[in-house]
Amino acid sequence: MRLQLPKSLARKEESLAVQSIILTTGRIVGYAITFGIPIVLVRVFDQSTFGVYKQLFLVAGTAIPILSMGLYASVFYFVPRDSGDGHRYVVQTLALLCLASLFGAVILALGGPSLADTLGMQSALPYFVLLGVFVCLATPTELVTILPIADRRPVLAAYTVVGSDVIRAAAIIAAGLIGRSIYAVLWAAIATMAIRGLWLLVYIGLRRTPATGAHSEADLRSQLRYSLPFATAVFFEIGLTRFHQYYVAANVPAAEFAIYSVGLLQIPILGLLVQSVVEVMLVGATTAHKAGDVGEMRRIWTAAVERLAGVLIPCWVFAQLFAADIIGLLFGANYLAAVPVFRVFLFSVLLYLVVDHGILRATGDTPYLLKANVLGMTAAIVAVLLLARQSTLVGGVGGYVVGIAVMRGMGLARVAKRLGATWHELIPLNAAAPVALAALASAAAASVAFFLPSPFLRLLFGSALFGGIYATLALRWTIVPKSLVHEVLHRLNPAYRLDN
């Protein structure tokens, strides 16, 4: 008799907003847990060792999406469209990812010296073999957080993310505190990927239904036709998002690269929120596109942009206001030189509002994504090389922001064509205006916190004041509908009554 998922984790259809918020809630919790990893390691390692650690995971963060060959994205496209449960696509994807990850591990192990010389990371060379093992396990096991989303099980996806991140953070922090070496940290990371792989195999076994179809070469060809152009696009997007980091790493000592890496601090919630929204809207937009319902696709786009604006804009304003205190409190006075980098990097946050991938991946526009990424990468490289003449660190991050802006602009133009909409219709300024006004009013009130003597007190009091005022204004001005708040609370906690 086949095992079944618990009823509480079974598939249940939700609105785009509810699915996104549930999934984002899980990712926020997971991020809050893993956020402690660099906070601890920056105090365990000296600045040069921490810089080497950041270089290693820069390489891993580059290798994994390249080796995935666009297959992660293809899961969102093929599984919802399959008349059965998409199991044959799941198995096919896992097999391809395992082959690609083995190839990547061999390249890192055997080509380590050449890679280290090329990238200017000679200090990281002794760790490349272990890094290859980590990449080999991490690449296929990323499916464990993707499959539940494609299966429309946002609660299960949220629990999976949190559980995985709890284990990873606990293992790496313990390894750093006890072993006090990069070797110990890498072994801990490898162990957590092995655990995640076991859960992936269990989930794949649990989700299989009698409707599962047989594998065929046609399935493989159709999946590769979708994923490979997307993979090529991702390759150039990686060039856009990573070139500035490799450029800085090759031109400054490891200790200074540590400062630069700190300045690229991701605000907890934002990237996770955007990722959740794109993944959930992708499933809905794929279904709507298949049915030829352009009106539903426009509704999905508008809902996503409006909900994102309600979070991204106030977070950007708050982070700009308290940038120095955020860096100083989290990483210490030795890293305050990262504040200018952080302020420039924050401008990329506003560009998250253009969630073009959520539509263009659903419509199969992966070749166009390639064009946008190539142009964005080209713009980023040129901008980095020009701006870095004035300042390596600030110029590097400034070039990155320029490239992102070019790429998103092209994506927005394509979405406008697909949805038959104008740019003004795609960027609802009428909805963004009250958000910006509420955020600025909240910032003005929170600025009184600067009279307090320490970064901790300033952030504690400032965030409470900012958050309280913004939440009040958001509900009063219906930036966040009360019905949506009640629905999310009820879904996360069924005991919560919708008529509260």
Side-chain angles (χ1 to χ4, degrees):
M1 182 176 179
R2 196 178 69 86
L3 295 174
Q4 298 289 335
L5 287 167
K7 290 183 179 180
S8 61
L9 301 180
R11 179 183 291 124
K12 181 174 180 178
E13 294 297 332
E14 309 285 352
S15 69
L16 169 68
V18 174
Q19 289 188 63
S20 299
I21 294 173
I22 290 171
L23 186 56
T24 301
T25 300
R27 283 177 167 153
I28 291 171
V29 174
Y31 188 91
I33 294 166
T34 58
F35 191 70
I37 294 175
I39 304 303
V40 172
L41 295 184
V42 79
R43 290 163 171 80
V44 170
F45 298 151
D46 60 50
Q47 204 160 313
S48 293
T49 304
F50 185 71
V52 172
Y53 159 79
K54 297 297 289 187
Q55 288 176 346
L56 286 169
F57 281 89
L58 170 62
V59 173
T62 304
I64 292 170
I66 290 176
L67 294 172
S68 72
M69 301 185 298
L71 292 168
Y72 300 152
S74 72
V75 170
F76 293 112
Y77 185 82
F78 287 98
V79 171
R81 287 171 174 259
D82 190 63
S83 57
D85 64 352
H87 188 76
R88 63 185 187 273
Y89 288 109
V90 172
V91 174
Q92 184 171 274
T93 300
L94 181 60
L96 291 171
L97 287 172
C98 287
L99 290 174
S101 64
L102 284 171
F103 174 76
V106 170
I107 293 297
L108 283 172
L110 300 182
S114 298
L115 284 172
D117 288 339
T118 302
L119 301 175
M121 298 181 179
Q122 289 81 3
S123 299
L125 177 59
Y127 310 102
F128 269 41
V129 173
L130 280 184
L131 187 67
V133 177
F134 170 78
V135 168
C136 185
L137 290 172
T139 303
T141 59
E142 183 64 24
L143 281 178
V144 80
T145 61
I146 293 172
L147 284 179
I149 303 170
D151 289 337
R152 295 184 176 91
R153 293 188 174 100
V155 174
L156 177 59
Y159 283 140
T160 300
V161 169
V162 172
S164 176
D165 286 342
V166 166
I167 295 172
R168 180 162 63 97
I172 291 178
I173 289 174
L177 291 173
I178 297 172
R180 293 186 172 270
S181 70
I182 293 178
Y183 282 115
V185 168
L186 284 173
W187 276 115
I190 289 168
T192 60
M193 291 302 104
I195 294 172
R196 194 165 70 164
L198 290 176
W199 169 231
L200 173 62
L201 294 177
V202 169
Y203 178 71
I204 290 176
L206 291 175
R207 72 181 297 280
R208 185 172 186 174
T209 69
T212 297
H215 301 282
S216 70
E217 291 185 11
D219 290 337
L220 178 61
R221 287 195 298 270
S222 62
Q223 187 174 13
L224 291 177
R225 276 197 301 269
Y226 180 94
S227 66
L228 291 180
F230 185 81
T232 308
V234 168
F235 177 81
F236 286 102
E237 184 176 2
I238 290 171
L240 163 58
T241 59
R242 305 283 186 179
F243 173 78
H244 66 106
Q245 297 182 62
Y246 283 107
Y247 179 86
V248 173
N251 286 278
V252 301
E256 195 169 349
F257 181 73
I259 291 173
Y260 187 72
S261 297
V262 165
L264 304 180
L265 176 67
Q266 295 281 352
I267 302 175
I269 191 178
L270 301 189
L272 306 175
L273 172 62
V274 174
Q275 180 183 356
S276 299
V277 168
V278 169
E279 289 172 348
V280 173
M281 74 182 291
L282 178 57
V283 176
T286 297
T287 303
H289 179 63
K290 183 180 180 181
D293 191 347
V294 176
E296 175 62 11
M297 293 175 70
R298 291 182 68 170
R299 186 200 66 78
I300 289 172
W301 169 274
T302 301
V305 173
E306 289 182 354
R307 295 292 173 261
L308 283 174
V311 176
L312 296 180
I313 293 175
C315 284
W316 182 84
V317 172
F318 178 84
Q320 287 286 3
L321 184 64
F322 290 98
D325 289 329
I326 291 171
I327 297 297
L329 179 65
L330 294 178
F331 299 99
N334 290 338
Y335 287 89
L336 285 176
V339 172
V341 175
F342 181 50
R343 289 190 186 278
V344 176
F345 180 71
L346 284 172
F347 282 95
S348 63
V349 167
L350 297 179
L351 297 171
Y352 286 165
L353 284 170
V354 183
V355 283
D356 54 316
H357 279 216
I359 297 295
L360 298 183
R361 284 162 57 184
T363 58
D365 277 313
T366 49
Y368 184 84
L369 292 175
L370 170 60
K371 296 177 184 177
N373 290 347
V374 169
L375 186 59
M377 184 191 74
T378 303
I381 291 173
V382 172
V384 167
L385 295 177
L386 292 176
L387 296 175
R389 294 178 180 178
Q390 304 301 319
S391 169
T392 303
L393 302 190
V394 175
V397 71
Y400 160 75
V401 173
V402 169
I404 289 291
V406 171
M407 181 187 69
R408 294 301 183 201
M410 288 192 65
L412 190 63
R414 187 66 168 187
V415 171
K417 182 177 180 180
R418 279 293 189 182
L419 302 186
T422 65
W423 286 41
H424 177 72
E425 291 171 328
L426 293 180
I427 303 297
L429 297 178
N430 291 338
V435 173
L437 184 59
L440 292 174
S442 303
S447 63
V448 301
F450 288 117
F451 291 102
L452 295 173
S454 70
F456 175 76
L457 291 176
R458 289 194 291 270
L459 282 176
L460 180 65
F461 183 73
S463 60
L465 193 57
F466 185 100
I469 293 174
Y470 180 76
T472 301
L473 294 175
L475 290 173
R476 180 167 298 180
W477 296 349
T478 65
I479 294 172
V480 179
K482 292 182 180 180
S483 59
L484 176 60
V485 175
H486 293 322
E487 188 179 359
V488 172
L489 290 175
H490 174 71
R491 188 66 183 96
L492 292 173
N493 179 15
Y496 181 88
R497 296 179 57 186
L498 289 174
D499 58 355
N500 279 0

